[in-house]
Amino acid sequence: MFDINEIQIKYDVTLDETEKGFKQFQKRFMLKRKIIYTIVYAIVVGLGIDLIVKNPPSVIGYIATALGLGLIAVQWVRPYFVRKKMITTLSGLNEERYVTTFFPDRIEVETDIIEEEEKETVAITRMGVIPVEEGSEAEKELQENPPENVKTEKSIYEIAHTELSSEELEDMFLLYVNRSLIYIYPKRCLTEEQVKAVRDYFEDKDI
């Protein structure tokens, strides 16, 4: 029996790792449905071809064939464009760091959102927003009371009440939550002891 009180890992995830993890997520949870729809649309194509053979002047067969082929193409091409759109969106967001803590009864994930610094430092005064010049009183005040530039978000998943599953790849662990959310743990950010601890945790909790 694997007994732990707490395992904590700190990490970041690159865009390449995000794309790889999400591709694996699509394969695991969407491939079966995609194959089923492909079979259904293939039947439509078959019926369309049959109509064309039996009654070449009829346009219904041609429409059914074209529609079926188009829907098949959409089923297999759409996941690629969904991934690319996601990566494009993420590339424009601020940098994020993560902390995941594994407890015996729950998993907690904290996200630190690091806001980009403004190119020009300004101060709000009774005269409005003015630039903060080097050596000014405003600059000294900012140094003494720097603004908070990190926002933290936390998600908590109770093992007994959450559908959790995991997958280990050569370079990362993947944690799937309720078949709709994925967390990526790159092994490059973990020590050998942490890799073993995370693996043992997932195995012990049957995740």
Side-chain angles (χ1 to χ4, degrees), residues 5 10 48 60 62 76 78 82 99 105 169 190:
N5 291 319
K10 299 180 179 180
I60 297 178
Y62 297 96
W76 292 92
R78 180 189 296 167
V82 169
V99 178
D105 62 338
L169 305 183
L190 311 180

Side-chain angles (χ1 to χ4, degrees), residues 11 95-100 108-114 150-155 183:
Y11 56 99
E95 179 186 354
E96 294 184 346
R97 291 191 300 248
Y98 309 92
V99 178
T100 292
E108 296 185 0
V109 182
E110 295 181 75
T111 303
D112 291 335
I113 303 173
I114 306 172
V150 177
K151 297 180 180 179
T152 303
E153 299 176 355
K154 178 184 286 190
S155 299
Y183 288 102

Side-chain angles (χ1 to χ4, degrees), residues 37-90:
Y37 276 110
T38 298
I39 293 173
V40 172
Y41 297 143
I43 293 173
V44 174
V45 172
L47 292 174
I49 293 175
D50 184 62
L51 288 172
I52 293 173
V53 172
K54 292 180 178 179
N55 187 14
S58 175
V59 298
I60 297 178
Y62 297 96
I63 293 175
T65 301
L67 182 62
L69 290 174
L71 291 173
I72 290 174
V74 168
Q75 287 296 313
W76 292 92
V77 173
R78 180 189 296 167
Y80 170 81
F81 287 104
V82 169
R83 287 199 310 272
K84 291 304 178 183
K85 183 178 181 180
M86 179 191 67
I87 295 302
T88 300
T89 301
L90 291 176

Side-chain angles (χ1 to χ4, degrees), residues 157-168:
Y157 303 104
E158 301 287 344
I159 293 177
H161 303 99
T162 310
E163 183 181 351
L164 300 170
S165 60
S166 68
E167 185 173 1
E168 181 177 357

Side-chain angles (χ1 to χ4, degrees), residues 126-187:
R126 65 176 182 273
M127 299 177 61
V129 180
I130 63 173
V132 176
E133 298 179 357
E134 185 176 354
S136 66
E137 289 297 323
E139 184 191 38
K140 293 178 182 178
E141 184 176 348
L142 282 175
Q143 290 176 347
E144 294 174 359
N145 302 285
E148 182 64 45
N149 70 332
V150 177
K151 297 180 180 179
T152 303
E153 299 176 355
K154 178 184 286 190
S155 299
I156 301 175
Y157 303 104
E158 301 287 344
I159 293 177
H161 303 99
T162 310
E163 183 181 351
L164 300 170
S165 60
S166 68
E167 185 173 1
E168 181 177 357
L169 305 183
E170 182 180 357
D171 56 347
M172 64 178 66
F173 290 102
L174 303 175
L175 175 64
Y176 305 114
V177 180
N178 294 327
R179 303 173 67 91
S180 61
L181 183 65
I182 179 175
Y183 288 102
I184 301 170
Y185 305 123
K187 291 182 180 179

